[in-house]
Amino acid sequence: MTELRTVQVLGGGSAGSSAHVRSLAAGLVARGVRVTVCAPAELDHHYDFLGTGAHFVPVPRRSDPVAIGALRMAFAGADVVHAHGLHASMRAGLALGSRRVPLVMTWHTRTHAEGARGRLIRLMERKTARAAAVVLGTSSELVDRARRRGARDARLGPVSIPAPPGGVPEVQAGKARAELGAMDRPLVVAVGALEPHRGHGTLLDASRVWLGHDPVPLVAVAGEGPQRAGLQRRIDTEGLPVRLLGRRDDVTALLAAADVAVLASRWEARAPLAQEALRLGVPLVATAVGGVPELVGDAAVLVPYGDGGALGAAVSALLADPVRRAALAAAGRAQADTWPTEDETIAQVLSVYDELCAR
């Protein structure tokens, strides 16, 4: 039997899509598939695609002739090209040109833009959705969106991030909590790039509610981005109990140390923070947006997006109710057990490849 050859293409590489591609590459290689990963060089330093047994081709984020040329060379001899995200799909489509190689596209999330940029994004979505042989959406909402954009074949492809092997030792969580100085006060943790659609401004609004607690909870935010300076000014000016931690390599330990995790985004599909929190048994308060309700079921407290009062009240209620937190912890682990495993995710993708190659 001829060896199946697939190329995985990443653009900017969000944490969720990059972790998925690493998991997918490792699983496909283990099943005898020849895998090449094309992505910005810095992503291989962090996710070690080469360590999965895949080949790695560094490709710049931009869509200039150099990047397209590198992809075109990587696609030589490929049976299937699989692009992850909108910009990666645009580059992959340009590089494929008229080649009769099936293009699979996974929509992990959606891009937030208004005005002229919003119109351009919608145009790109239509172009890529129509060019793909199969579009996999990580949530039902994304599948519906792909169909509205003209996808010939759009399917649900829920992606679960890999579970930490063996869980997180209590000593790691304790160390993370101690380093934050939160041994004698509640700890609320949020994770995400410091960008407008992540809802960190609403989180700061909510933190004003918690100033009335005794002791005052510490809010720790792991992530970096263009809003950092503005958020820090608000924290300093208003005396808010919030620490911006920047990029962290110990996010799982931070979450395991938390009394409550918060996801305040304007939109999410299968948010890595939500997945990790529920797996770890950490009570989660999240916005009822996108694929979040589908992901968490009844195992989290959901609030409207942009409502700092509702977010603050929901977290306050949980901090005051250890019985409810324990119930949510158990419900979160049970909900996580319903998500597809890595093996099931890889098997679904491989079945799509086999189907396309048999046509």
Side-chain angles (χ1 to χ4, degrees):
M1 182 177 176
T2 305
E3 181 183 46
L4 180 66
R5 295 159 298 178
T6 177
V7 180
Q8 307 291 319
V9 184
L10 272 167
S14 67
S17 60
S18 298
H20 171 59
V21 168
R22 191 193 193 285
S23 170
L24 190 57
L28 291 172
V29 168
R31 289 161 175 78
V33 178
R34 182 179 175 87
V35 179
T36 298
V37 177
C38 296
E42 61 268 22
L43 290 184
D44 185 52
H45 297 318
H46 189 73
Y47 291 95
D48 188 24
F49 300 116
L50 283 168
T52 68
H55 300 274
F56 180 75
V57 176
V59 177
R61 296 174 187 268
R62 58 187 184 274
S63 296
D64 62 12
V66 173
I68 302 304
L71 287 175
R72 190 171 289 129
M73 291 179 63
F75 293 170
D79 297 302
V80 179
V81 171
H82 190 163
H84 299 264
L86 182 60
H87 294 284
S89 298
M90 282 294 297
R91 295 181 189 116
L94 289 170
L96 279 172
S98 60
R99 293 188 195 180
R100 298 179 63 84
V101 178
L103 173 62
V104 178
M105 172 179 168
T106 294
W107 282 11
H108 293 268
T109 186
R110 52 180 280 194
T111 302
H112 303 276
E114 307 294 338
R117 177 163 169 75
R119 291 190 292 273
L120 175 61
I121 293 297
R122 289 191 290 274
L123 177 64
M124 292 170 64
E125 288 178 343
R126 286 195 294 271
K127 186 176 181 62
T128 55
R130 293 170 181 175
V134 174
V135 177
L136 297 174
T138 58
S139 70
S140 297
E141 185 176 330
L142 286 174
V143 174
D144 292 341
R145 187 180 182 89
R147 287 175 179 152
R148 290 197 303 272
R149 296 293 187 258
R152 292 171 285 168
D153 186 342
R155 312 178 191 181
L156 183 63
V159 171
S160 295
I161 61 171
V168 181
E170 286 187 21
V171 65
Q172 287 181 256
K175 180 181 177 184
R177 192 170 187 124
E179 287 177 349
L180 292 172
M183 298 304 290
D184 299 315
R185 61 193 295 198
L187 177 62
V188 177
V189 171
V191 180
L194 305 184
E195 297 170 343
H197 71 275
R198 296 292 185 182
H200 294 305
T202 304
L203 179 59
L204 297 195
D205 294 339
S207 73
R208 299 176 66 178
V209 174
W210 308 325
L211 285 170
H213 288 210
D214 184 19
V216 176
L218 172 65
V219 184
V221 181
E224 193 55 85
Q227 280 199 308
R228 183 185 181 101
L231 292 171
Q232 190 62 59
R233 278 195 298 273
R234 268 200 68 186
I235 293 166
D236 295 340
T237 301
E238 300 176 31
L240 302 177
V242 181
R243 284 185 57 186
L244 304 180
L245 305 180
R247 291 188 179 90
R248 297 284 293 231
D249 295 326
D250 61 344
V251 165
T252 300
L254 281 171
L255 279 173
D259 295 292
V260 176
V262 170
L263 179 68
S265 302
R266 181 169 69 184
W267 194 92
E268 294 279 356
R270 294 179 68 84
L273 179 145
Q275 292 188 52
E276 285 209 72
L278 267 60
R279 276 209 182 104
L280 293 166
V282 177
L284 173 69
V285 177
T287 43
V289 296
V292 173
E294 179 181 17
L295 176 69
V296 304
D298 296 326
V301 178
L302 298 179
V303 297
Y305 167 72
D307 190 335
L311 178 61
V315 172
S316 294
L318 282 181
L319 292 177
D321 190 346
V323 174
R324 174 67 173 144
R325 292 204 306 274
L328 279 177
R333 293 190 178 100
Q335 178 71 8
D337 286 341
T338 70
W339 299 334
T341 64
E342 280 188 88
D343 280 346
E344 289 168 342
T345 299
I346 293 159
Q348 182 198 16
V349 171
L350 186 54
S351 72
V352 171
Y353 296 169
D354 288 340
E355 176 189 330
L356 293 174
C357 290
R359 289 179 182 175

